[in-house]
Amino acid sequence: MSRREPVLLAAAGALLLAGCTSGGPTDEGTAPAPGASVSGRSSASPAPAPSPSASPANEPYTLAESAAPKTRSEAAAFVRGLTVRPDYFGSGYRKRDPYETGPATWTVLGDDCIWRREPLAPTVLASLTRSFIRPAAGGKGPVHVSLTVTVHSSEVGARRDMAVSLEEPLRCPTQQLTATERVQGMASRGDPFTEQRTATSDDNLTEFGEYVVDGGGKARRFDWFKHRLGPVTVAATVRHAPGGTEAETTAVTEAALSGVGYVTADIDRLGKKDKGAQAPDAEAKDAGDE
């Protein structure tokens, strides 16, 4: 694990201690229906998740617009090419079925506070959601995690998306996910890198709330995180297991944040790799202009 992880987990602890007790999803995909079948079972002894690559402690992970995808086909290949393993989020997770949603559609919160899947906005190039489950065990219910990577056509578009996401809990304190599922009691919080909340993105936001299923018993904790790296956003939702203790809930939240960190590190690495590959051409051009 790189030196980034303590910063990431410290940020998680700060958010938990901030007293936020509500939250919900944004454009990152509606909650999968309860009882969905499971596919992609992991082996009994999965290899440990790789650590994010180290970067200077005073620089956030980011992706320059010059290194980001420029077309929808490039963006679709980019989001599909990112590795997102079940064990990024902790032990015992598997792929859900359906595992992937997108990349030519995304979910939008309507004026009526209902989430619907729609074609991409003109300023969005691709958005891909991957879904995972930690099956019920030891008298505890299942945990559901989803992770979405969205590529915008510009950093300005990604910033606007973050701003819209930040204000959605104010506009819709209760949000309907499906006919029988909703999140309620929402609150949001934004943390730009300049406030030194995180070293894994240019800026990030978080929401907490309660996830409720009609006729499904007691409400459970719902977490939602969204990080921006230049024109790309990485978001994760967590539906906690019913019956978990506060310590177990905190551990699941921290593990999910670590999973986001693995993906943002990969995006940062790809951006630096592309920048390095472009450097010789730039130098040759400069030499020719002299």
Side-chain angles (χ1 to χ4, degrees):
M1 189 65 62
S2 77
R3 54 184 172 182
R4 289 293 180 114
E5 183 177 282
V7 178
L8 185 64
L9 298 188
L15 294 172
L16 291 171
L17 294 174
C20 297
T21 56
S22 59
T26 61
D27 53 59
E28 310 313 324
T30 55
S37 61
V38 177
S39 65
R41 291 173 178 264
S42 54
S43 62
S45 301
S51 298
S53 58
S55 295
N58 62 342
E59 294 182 7
Y61 289 146
T62 190
L63 179 68
E65 283 194 21
S66 60
K70 303 298 188 296
T71 67
R72 288 197 164 174
S73 60
E74 290 176 354
F78 178 85
V79 295
R80 289 195 184 281
L82 291 171
T83 300
V84 184
R85 288 170 37 175
D87 60 347
Y88 278 9
F89 308 99
S91 62
Y93 283 92
R94 305 170 180 170
K95 295 178 181 178
R96 281 180 59 88
D97 184 14
Y99 169 53
E100 292 186 348
T101 307
T105 61
W106 66 342
T107 50
V108 177
L109 185 62
D111 293 338
D112 55 1
C113 299
I114 297 176
W115 287 97
R116 298 179 178 86
R117 195 138 198 108
E118 298 182 357
L120 298 176
T123 58
V124 179
L125 300 179
S127 184
L128 183 66
T129 298
R130 290 172 167 130
S131 300
F132 306 90
I133 182 173
R134 191 181 74 185
K140 303 294 193 307
V143 177
H144 299 272
V145 173
S146 69
L147 186 135
T148 300
V149 179
T150 301
V151 181
H152 297 262
S153 58
S154 68
E155 183 172 333
V156 171
R159 287 179 179 271
R160 287 174 178 165
D161 183 33
M162 295 290 287
V164 169
S165 298
L166 189 61
E167 64 83 28
E168 281 175 335
L170 298 176
R171 178 167 69 87
C172 295
T174 298
Q175 301 174 7
Q176 197 73 30
L177 305 179
T178 68
T180 60
E181 299 170 284
R182 66 184 182 276
V183 289
Q184 63 188 25
M186 300 172 58
S188 61
R189 170 176 175 163
D191 296 303
F193 174 72
T194 52
E195 293 183 2
Q196 298 183 352
R197 290 286 182 183
T198 177
T200 61
S201 62
D202 292 310
D203 59 75
N204 70 85
L205 60 86
T206 186
E207 298 179 14
F208 293 97
E210 292 181 330
Y211 169 75
V212 179
V213 180
D214 292 347
K218 186 179 179 181
R220 67 195 77 167
R221 171 75 170 268
F222 182 91
D223 299 332
W224 181 78
F225 312 101
K226 190 170 185 176
H227 292 210
R228 182 184 65 81
L229 297 88
V232 175
T233 61
V234 179
T237 64
V238 184
R239 287 188 287 153
H240 289 265
T245 66
E246 185 63 30
E248 290 169 335
T249 297
T250 299
V252 169
T253 297
E254 291 180 343
L257 273 168
S258 292
V260 174
Y262 291 129
V263 179
T264 58
D266 197 24
I267 293 173
D268 179 77
R269 178 186 60 79
L270 290 173
K272 287 179 170 54
K273 179 181 178 182
D274 290 343
K275 183 178 180 180
Q278 295 170 4
D281 293 337
E283 292 174 359
K285 181 179 184 301
D286 290 341
D289 290 341
E290 292 179 353

